[in-house]
Amino acid sequence: MKLIAFNGSPRKKWNTATLLEHALKGAKGNGAKTELIHLYDLDYKGCTSCFACKRIGSKSYGHCAMKDDLRPVLKKVEAADAILIGSPIYYAITTGETRCFLERLMYPYSVYDKERSTLFKKKIRTGFIYTAGANEEMVREMGFDRNAQLTEMAMARIFGSCESMFVTDTLQFDDYSKYVSTRFDPEEKKKHRDEQFPKDCKKAYALGIRLVRKGV
């Protein structure tokens, strides 16, 4: 089994990346090969509506025709058994890099037929890890989870399955006194981080196991 994780955060050593690393540890502990790709290291754009992936007789039918850093990455997805995408929530949705990646990932396999069929040639497991500075109540109130569900539905339709986890009330800064952030209580933030984040890391570890375990 091969699990590829994509870090859609610009930070390589913070909440999202840490959770992805725990997920990969869970997968690797169950015999899977793993890889972590930082999307912000790549030079690419979102879908440009060239429609080459939809054109009848096109050499790029069912595949993205754009030639940039995502081309070899999308090839890797076709050889993977599971993919996991992690992203912070920025203004109620995933980061711009993540959205651009998802457009390029999903659109070439989506068919404009009555059955809304997929051109992806096999079923793989997919998952999301979302991180948010907002607390759980605000995530529900602002509809962050509902926004995410729409993308998850598309992922499940195209690739076969999708599951996700939200990690809320995350610690955004090492030192809150250095930033304009009076909306937050730094001590409460730190307490939540110390008590809850280790539990969230364990959940991510378990998610990594589920994505690669046979028969699940």
Side-chain angles (χ1 to χ4, degrees):
M1 297 285 283
K2 174 69 180 291
L3 169 62
I4 304 176
F6 298 93
N7 178 24
S9 169
R11 305 165 86 175
K12 295 182 180 180
K13 296 293 181 183
W14 206 243
N15 302 306
T16 306
T18 299
L19 291 160
L20 289 173
E21 287 169 358
H22 277 81
L24 292 179
K25 286 179 182 177
K28 194 172 183 178
N30 276 257
K33 295 180 180 179
T34 64
E35 182 177 2
L36 176 59
I37 296 174
H38 298 284
L39 293 178
Y40 277 79
D41 283 347
L42 307 177
D43 185 10
Y44 66 96
K45 298 178 180 179
C47 177
T48 60
S49 294
C50 72
F51 299 114
C53 64
K54 303 282 181 282
R55 186 180 295 275
I56 297 171
S58 169
K59 293 180 180 179
S60 295
Y61 183 73
H63 299 279
C64 184
M66 294 177 67
K67 297 179 180 180
D68 56 20
D69 287 356
L70 267 193
R71 173 166 278 201
V73 171
L74 296 175
K75 284 277 189 182
K76 288 184 177 183
V77 170
E78 294 189 344
D81 300 291
I83 58 173
L84 177 61
I85 301 162
S87 176
I89 298 297
Y90 290 171
Y91 288 98
I93 201 150
T94 52
T95 64
E97 294 294 290
T98 305
R99 288 305 305 175
C100 288
F101 170 66
L102 289 170
E103 289 174 6
R104 298 277 300 281
L105 173 68
M106 292 192 291
Y107 189 60
Y109 302 121
S110 300
V111 183
Y112 286 144
D113 57 12
K114 293 181 180 179
E115 296 76 24
R116 300 179 68 201
S117 55
T118 175
L119 294 175
F120 199 70
K121 295 180 180 180
K122 60 182 180 180
K123 291 185 181 298
I124 64 173
R125 294 172 187 154
T126 71
F128 284 93
I129 295 178
Y130 308 104
T131 58
N135 60 31
E136 188 173 349
E137 181 180 355
M138 187 177 294
V139 165
R140 291 196 301 269
E141 181 181 315
M142 301 296 289
F144 297 175
D145 54 341
R146 294 191 294 277
N147 286 343
Q149 286 171 3
L150 296 175
T151 301
E152 291 164 25
M153 288 170 59
M155 289 286 283
R157 177 173 53 82
I158 294 167
F159 297 105
S161 69
C162 186
E163 64 172 302
S164 66
M165 60 176 283
F166 253 96
V167 176
T168 61
D169 207 4
T170 57
L171 197 67
Q172 295 159 292
F173 316 115
D174 285 318
D175 185 351
Y176 275 73
S177 69
K178 295 180 179 179
Y179 303 89
V180 178
S181 54
T182 53
R183 174 180 177 179
F184 304 107
D185 182 331
E187 293 303 316
E188 285 297 319
K189 277 282 190 182
K190 186 177 185 307
K191 180 182 178 182
H192 183 82
R193 168 82 177 198
D194 292 342
E195 294 178 354
Q196 182 60 40
F197 197 69
K199 298 177 183 177
D200 293 325
C201 287
K202 289 181 179 179
K203 291 179 181 178
Y205 185 92
L207 173 58
I209 293 174
R210 288 196 301 275
L211 289 173
V212 300
R213 183 176 289 172
K214 295 180 180 180
V216 177

